[in-house]
Amino acid sequence: MSSVNGSSPMRWWVLALAAIAVSSSYYEDDVIGPIADLLHRQRGFSQSQLGMLNGVISIPNVALALISGLLIDRFGPARIAFWCAAIGVLGAALTAIGEPYALMVLGRFIFGISEGAIFIALVAGLAQWFPRSGIALATALYLSLARVGSYAVDTSTAWSHPLYEHGWQAPLWLGTAITAIGLAAAAMYYRLDLRHRPKASLRTGVEQIKWRQLLNFDLSYWYILGLHVLYAAVFFPFRTTYAIEYFQHAKGLTLQQAGVANSWVFFAAIFATPVFGLLADRLGRRALMLSFGTLLLPLTFVVLGLTDLNLWVSTVMMGISFALVPAVIWPATTLIVEPRRLGTALGLITLIQALGMAASNLAAGRLADIAGAGAQNPAGYDVMLGFFFLLSLTALLSAVLLWRREAGPHGHQLEAVRSAAR
């Protein structure tokens, strides 16, 4: 997408509506975690079944990652965002109906079609409204506000406590209502875009795909792809599927306390993500910052599994990591990949990331089932923590390899000071 002059004051309304739409998607994405224990007790779900409910939403990304860019170019990001939001409401409603289990899985799968495309569509939409000198800040704010949805769903165990007292289904209908709010925001954005979007210097044609060159990327790209995939495969399955239940069974927290403790990771990211993004622009050292942020991930699992330190220690560590890594890794990727191939590069990252998160969710659930993890056997969660620890060490290796390469003669100036208005 081409940049625009950014003179329209409506661009801030676009940012606000995009943030509401993506935040509602994030809410529904994470809606299973707070009711995991209820699904165990009231419906007898196994850990593997819980893993499937979150893992299945990543499967549609495997196909959509390859075609979403073409759909956005063909129909426009605003229209695609609206369609995705509507699909998301349907998926959320089927999940809330939830019986039989297969219908619940289908609902999560349909929601995954929405969740996988709406984020990219809204980012592309922002690129139409904001100039190059402002898109970095706009994207950072967009990412930060998206975390509001994750924060809200974790704290919902407190602010909507009466719903949880009615069982597993009522919180899911709340998620459906919030996705409907996101649909309304996407509809308003689509209407506003049709009437007021500034004229842009759009490309007149689509470059022919050269399949033999599809994977012909610089080595730094493969390192940062590995970091994208492995970091997501650790952070999201743990925090969105298993953390709240683990805090209840292994750390002795109530559902409300566990939800609040988990939510602070996302709450910190709301404010810290733009700060780390601006810091990287001012100081450079992006690969070094990525290495530090990734290092905090395996250390978090060491603290959780091997110490009796206050739970807030691990929460703060993971919160800093989650604010720092996404704030730096996305702009770093755009610096490593040549602009004409950026869409392909991001699509490939999204595809493999989806596979990684789905596999990690299922593997962690299976390991926990084999170990008999639960309220009666808190030690059974140790094997799951060990699995996430080893994955996070591999992510750290990718970050360190990227740092070493970027500090050498083949680097892409990730370690240099860059202008924020480049």
Side-chain angles (χ1 to χ4, degrees), residues 42-172:
Q42 296 178 2
R43 298 191 61 183
F45 283 6
S46 68
Q47 296 285 356
S48 297
Q49 286 178 303
L50 287 176
M52 174 63 75
L53 290 175
N54 271 345
V56 73
I57 67 175
S58 298
I59 294 175
N61 283 337
V62 176
L64 288 175
L66 299 177
I67 66 174
S68 59
L70 292 176
L71 289 174
I72 290 168
D73 286 340
R74 175 66 179 84
F75 298 105
R79 183 180 297 182
I80 295 299
F82 172 64
W83 289 352
C84 289
I87 293 171
V89 173
L90 172 62
L94 292 177
T95 303
I97 294 171
E99 294 181 292
Y101 173 73
L103 181 63
M104 201 173 194
V105 173
L106 176 63
R108 294 295 282 173
F109 179 85
I110 291 174
F111 174 76
I113 297 174
S114 166
E115 186 267 347
I118 194 169
F119 181 89
I120 298 174
L122 291 170
V123 169
L126 292 177
Q128 290 186 334
W129 280 84
F130 284 83
R132 284 179 62 88
S133 60
I135 189 60
L137 176 60
T139 303
L141 290 171
Y142 169 78
L143 288 170
S144 297
L145 294 172
R147 311 303 183 201
V148 172
S150 298
Y151 173 73
V153 71
D154 282 337
T155 56
S156 65
T157 57
W159 57 262
S160 63
H161 179 65
L163 289 180
Y164 286 86
E165 291 183 333
H166 283 85
W168 61 271
Q169 197 168 32
L172 292 178

Side-chain angles (χ1 to χ4, degrees), residues 93-361:
L94 292 177
T95 303
I97 294 171
E99 294 181 292
Y101 173 73
L103 181 63
M104 201 173 194
V105 173
L106 176 63
R108 294 295 282 173
F109 179 85
I110 291 174
F111 174 76
I113 297 174
S114 166
E115 186 267 347
I118 194 169
F119 181 89
I120 298 174
L122 291 170
V123 169
L126 292 177
Q128 290 186 334
W129 280 84
F130 284 83
R132 284 179 62 88
S133 60
I135 189 60
L137 176 60
T139 303
L141 290 171
Y142 169 78
L143 288 170
S144 297
L145 294 172
R147 311 303 183 201
V148 172
S150 298
Y151 173 73
V153 71
D154 282 337
T155 56
S156 65
T157 57
W159 57 262
S160 63
H161 179 65
L163 289 180
Y164 286 86
E165 291 183 333
H166 283 85
W168 61 271
Q169 197 168 32
L172 292 178
W173 282 117
L174 174 62
T176 304
I178 289 175
T179 57
I181 294 173
L183 173 60
M188 293 173 65
Y189 162 47
Y190 181 33
R191 181 180 178 86
L192 188 154
D193 189 78
L194 285 175
R195 294 188 173 189
H196 300 290
R197 176 160 55 92
K199 293 181 179 179
S201 300
L202 298 176
R203 291 177 295 178
T204 57
V206 178
E207 184 178 347
Q208 183 178 1
I209 297 175
K210 299 178 180 179
W211 296 105
R212 287 180 296 179
Q213 299 180 10
L214 183 63
L215 303 182
N216 186 23
F217 290 108
D218 183 86
L219 184 58
S220 289
Y221 168 76
W222 296 108
Y223 289 150
I224 206 166
L225 179 147
L227 181 55
H228 271 287
V229 172
L230 292 165
Y231 189 92
V234 174
F235 181 87
F236 291 106
F238 177 69
R239 279 291 170 179
T240 63
T241 306
Y242 301 108
I244 291 179
E245 183 184 19
Y246 169 74
F247 293 159
Q248 289 177 261
H249 295 169
K251 299 299 183 180
L253 273 61
T254 66
L255 175 61
Q256 293 73 32
Q257 291 171 332
V260 170
N262 199 44
S263 72
W264 275 92
V265 171
F266 303 104
F267 182 75
I270 294 171
F271 301 100
T273 299
V275 175
F276 284 124
L278 291 173
L279 185 64
D281 281 337
R282 295 294 185 269
L283 301 180
R285 308 297 182 188
R286 291 177 176 85
L288 176 60
M289 292 178 68
L290 287 173
S291 297
F292 173 74
T294 308
L295 173 62
L296 293 175
L297 207 54
L299 292 179
T300 297
F301 292 106
V302 170
V303 170
L304 282 174
L306 300 180
T307 76
D308 293 322
L309 292 175
N310 189 288
L311 186 59
W312 288 102
V313 175
S314 61
T315 298
V316 169
M317 291 171 65
M318 189 166 277
I320 294 173
S321 177
F322 185 53
L324 194 162
V325 173
V328 178
I329 198 170
W330 291 106
T333 305
T334 66
L335 294 175
I336 286 174
V337 180
E338 54 185 317
R340 68 182 181 87
R341 304 191 66 201
L342 184 58
T344 301
L346 294 178
L348 187 60
I349 288 171
T350 304
L351 186 158
I352 301 177
Q353 195 175 66
L355 289 173
M357 285 191 291
S360 179
N361 256 305

